[in-house]
Structures are given as C-alpha cells and as structure tokens.
Amino acid sequence: MRAARTLATLDEAGNGDHVCQLMGPADDVMDRSRAFVADGALFGDKVMIVGPAVETAGEFAQTVLDPARLGGSLIAAVRREAESAGREGYRSLRVLHHVSRDAWPEGPEELLRSELDLEEFAADSGALVVCAYRGAEWDASTLEEVRCVHPHYLGSRPESPAFQVYRTGKEGWTVNGVIDAEGASAFGAVLCTLLAQSVTVRLLCHGLEFFDAAAMGTLADASRHLPDRKVVLEGTNDTLRLAWELSGFAVPSIPVVMAP
Amino acid sequence: MTLPSHPDTPPSAQTGYRHELYPYTGRDEFLQGTVGFIQEALDDGEAVVVAVPQDKASLLRSEVPEDGTVRFVDTSALAHHPGRLIGAWQEWIREHAAGGRPVRGIGESPWDQVQSQAQAEQLRYHEWLLNKAFADGPAWWLLCPYDTTGDGAALQQLTRCHPQIRTGGRSAPSTDYDPQAPFDFVPLSHPCDPYEEFIYTNGDLPALREKISACAEQLGLADRRLRELHLAATEIATNSIRHGGGHGTLRTWHEDQRMVCEFRDSGFIADPLAGRHRPTSTQVGGRGLWLVHQLCDLVEIRSTPDTGTTIRLHTQLTG
C-alpha cells in the first residue's frame, strides 16, 4: 500500500515512489543525476533522465531525453522505456525528470496532467519517478499544484503540501490532508485534470482531515465542468457529508457521491 | 372554546408578509388566540404551519387535528438555534404552499427555556430579521405567541420586532415598531478570563484550527463537534482574510458550559441576512456564514462600518 511520506534524502526513495524534489539555487543537476544513476546501477534498474540541460548525462545514463524533442508525450516515452527495461533484464525503471519551465510552454495545466500521468505510471508499474524542480523557476501556485500530486516529497521546504492526491490501486486516488480556501484552487485544478481523463473519478478520503466551503464549491464546480462525469468520494466523515448537504450541493445536477 | 372574531383585515386582502405578536397569559389564552387564528385560515382556504414547543403543540393538537391543511413541524432541533430558523421557515412555507394556497404560520420560541442572555438576544434578533427576510417574498402571515407571565420588559423588546400586535382576535400596528430603525443590540459581554488570543492572517488557517483544538480539548470537545467548530471557524477566519482587512483576532474562552470563539476584523457585513438563507446549488459563494449558523449552537454577529465585525461562535459543552 502506497503511503505519503517526506524523505530526508533520495536514498530513501524506492520502487513505486513518485518524488517531488525541490532544489535550491546551489543544487547541481549533474551531481544529482550522477548519484541517481549510481543508485540505479546498484539496484539493477534502468535509468532514464529527462531534462533539457543534461546532454552530458548520456555518458552515464542508459536513456537521456530532451522533452522538447520527444515527438510525443512524456508519459508515452516513459512507458516505452519501462517496457524495454523489462525486456532488457533490468529490475525496474527509474526516471529522473529535471522539470524546466521552458519545456512546458503549454502552461501549468499540461504539466499537471503529465505529473498525474507519471503518478499513475509509478503506482501501476512500480517504477521510481523523481521530479526535480528549481523553486526559483516556478510561480508558487504551479509549484503547489505539482507538489500536491506527488505522494513523496524531498526538498528545501520543511513542510509537506497541505494536501496530496495520489494513485491508490487501479482505480482510486487517495486524498489526504487539509483542503481549505488556501488549497481549494489547487484541488480544483487536480480534479479537473483527472476528470478530463476519466468519466468517473474515485477519491479515497479516509485520510482527508479537513474540507471547507471553498473546497466543496471547487468540488461541485469541477464535477460539472465536463458533461457525463462523476466524482465518488469514499471514506468521508459525517461532518463533510452534512456540510455538503447543507451547502445545497446534494442535488442530482451535481454528479458527486459522498460515501462513508 | 369560543373562537375570536375575524381580524379587521381579511387575509385574502393581505399582500406581502404579515408578522404579528400575540401576547397571552396562560394556557387558555394561548389556545384561544392560536385556535382562532387557525380557524380563520381554514375558513379562508389557507394552509397553516405550526412551529411551537412540544407542550404547546400537544395543547393545539387536542383542539386542531393535523391534516393536509394544518401541519405541525418539530422544532426541537431548531428552537435554540435562532440562526437556523429563517431557513427553516422558508422550507416549511415552500413545502406547504406547494398547491398555491396562502399560508399562515404560528411560531413560538421556547422563551422560558433560553439558555443564556446571548440566546435570548439572538431569538429577538431573529424576530426582527423575519421582517426583512420575507419582505419581498410571497404573501404569508406569521403569528408569534408570547407568554407574558411575569415578563413585561421582554414583551416591550418584542413589540419592537413585530409590525403588528394581536389582541382579542384583532390586530393593530405596533407603536414600538420602526421599520427604518436598526436592531437595538445589547452590547456583547466581555470575554471571560482567562482567554486565549491569536492574531491570524493569510497562511494561518491551520494554526488557527490548532489554537481552537487546544482550547476545545481542555473542555472535552472532540470528534464531530470539534470538526464542525473547525469548519465554522475556518469560514469566519477566511472571511476576515479575504474581506476583513486581511487579518483578524481570535479569542477563545469558556463560560456557562459553552466554549466561545470570537473573531474580530475590520470588515463590514452589510447584509444582516447574510448566512440566513439556504444556498442554492448554483449560487457562487455565500455558503460560509450559512454553514456557521447551521453548525454552531449560537452565533452572534455585530458589524458596523466604523467598528468592523465581531463574530462569536458558541458551542455547548456536554456533561
């Protein structure tokens, strides 16, 4: 069972982890890549490095990709590498993604979709995916959104994000933590992205500590954003169910199911 | 019993909302006025909603059986929560007026069982707010019986909240009622010592909830009740941050088997009915104060452009 956790070092990351690593200005990309490759060799994993400025990483990694020259989606390239890793006898695939703002000209929506794809891939395949962000390159709201969809966190900021959404099992997404007015926008972005890819989104809310009116409004709006969609929240507490009903959202035109 | 004569103005000629205080003394006078009111309604083909304390409902049921025209509603879960009553009346009227027929209501609060001065004040404020809440809605007529036994001062306060007063089966304008005058609030009591204080701003909502948890746990408040208080407190604090100058001050204390959370900020709530109407599924925002009223045992709001806003959330402690 996957569980969210904060890592002290990348050495603690393992198979199936999807790590968001926030790098400071002094962190060196090549040093990080070398250490990552060394660990891959130690465990018998195929190493894939994705990033625009990692040409020299090709000296030591099995696969190096520049996202600007992919000719397709990142997740498709990653899945191909995972398949070839299996054929080539590697234990698994480990991906180090140096996420650069220049590589995502489509904007934060596309980046979030890619991160959710990688999250699903890591959970389903058992691959290790590390997404390294330079904090100074990104605006706060984008960083908050992408941090929320990584169950594992490593970096200069001491605290985990207020809430996390991560893959659990084949059909569900665990939602844990606190979603209030300060996180409602990020939650809405994540949910809209999931609903764009799936007719029904199943959210496992057993670890959801708090969900305020702003978050409920975001949930209602997102569920109506596209036609014929449904959001099922499992593991909700009686306070959330009561507040949802009191807020006027428990109506057929809002395709949300709240279950204990 | 002898039914009183019809009032001077037949209900069919009424437009808008009619809100009458019915001062009475004792059981017989209660029955005389209320049964007469119901009989008038039935004679004119109107429906009636009766929302009175259980003992009064039992008295009335013995005189007026419940049927499709007269409906008794259970007020036991609402009566001590004045902030929830306007929404409840809106629902009762909507449900009972479904056939398009005019509706009358009888609403009596459990004045002899109020749990605090703050609750009595909020019940009076609710009576005053009713005039605004239904001013523009469909016509209906609410009679508010009030037992005057030994409480003349309180009666005078209530006559300021009701445009009309019924006596002897006839209604007359209340000379104390001024539709333009603001509600005459009693000043809030001072916080009980010792109280905790916390100044909050953007990013402090988790810390604010922790402060409330710390106080609540000392008082034995936990689980569902604490979660509901957290939700209500977050809505108020979020309003402070977004609309009340960007920050506010939380105070928490304990008095008379209640935990009180007070929020002060520099914002102004212009609409006295904010949070009193049930939200629709499509409205944008406007749910925070509604949830606060629904989840807290008692809510006190004082807001002026000059002094800002003070909101107190009362949570009853058990045991």
Side-chain angles (χ1 to χ4, degrees), chain B residues 79-82 110-120 123 255-258 297-298 316:
Chain B
H80 291 282
H81 310 289
W111 296 102
D112 57 342
Q113 296 167 27
V114 291
Q115 294 154 343
S116 64
Q117 285 300 312
Q119 189 185 72
L123 283 169
E255 65 177 47
D256 299 336
Q257 281 301 301
R258 299 191 309 276
D297 290 319
L298 188 71
Q316 198 71 35

Side-chain angles (χ1 to χ4, degrees), chain A residues 18 111-119 131 133 146 149-150:
Chain A
H18 181 206
L111 174 61
L112 187 59
R113 192 194 59 74
S114 173
E115 285 290 11
L116 284 164
D117 286 342
L118 289 172
E119 165 57 14
C131 302
Y133 287 80
V146 296
V149 297
H150 293 79

Side-chain angles (χ1 to χ4, degrees), chain A residues 31 93 257:
Chain A
D31 278 354
L93 179 71
V257 177

Side-chain angles (χ1 to χ4, degrees), chain A residues 178 180 182 213 238-239 246-247, chain B residues 203 209 227 235 281 287 290:
Chain A
V178 169
D180 57 22
E182 291 165 0
D238 48 6
T239 302
L246 287 171
S247 297
Chain B
R209 288 188 288 268
R227 287 198 303 269
E235 299 307 327
S281 63
R287 292 180 173 82
W290 165 264

Side-chain angles (χ1 to χ4, degrees), chain A residues 178 180-182 209-214 216-217 220 224 237-239 242-243 245-249 251 253-254, chain B residues 201-206 209 224 227-228 230-231 234-235 238 242 278-282 287-288 290-291 294-295:
Chain A
V178 169
D180 57 22
E182 291 165 0
E209 297 164 39
F210 187 77
F211 203 75
D212 77 351
M216 285 187 275
R224 291 181 289 201
N237 63 42
D238 48 6
T239 302
L242 172 65
E245 193 277 331
L246 287 171
S247 297
F249 290 134
V251 293
S253 60
I254 299 179
Chain B
T201 186
N202 197 29
D204 288 337
L205 293 177
R209 288 188 288 268
R224 180 181 61 83
R227 287 198 303 269
E228 291 174 356
H230 274 162
L231 183 51
T234 300
E235 299 307 327
T238 300
R242 287 187 171 176
R278 176 179 281 276
T280 66
S281 63
T282 52
R287 292 180 173 82
W290 165 264
L291 282 175
Q294 301 302 313
L295 297 175

Side-chain angles (χ1 to χ4, degrees), chain B residues 5-11 14 18 20 141 164 166 169-173:
Chain B
S5 60
H6 271 225
D8 44 0
T9 312
Q14 302 294 327
R18 182 162 173 168
E20 286 185 2
W141 188 344
Q164 291 177 297
R166 171 174 276 233
R170 292 184 174 277
S171 63

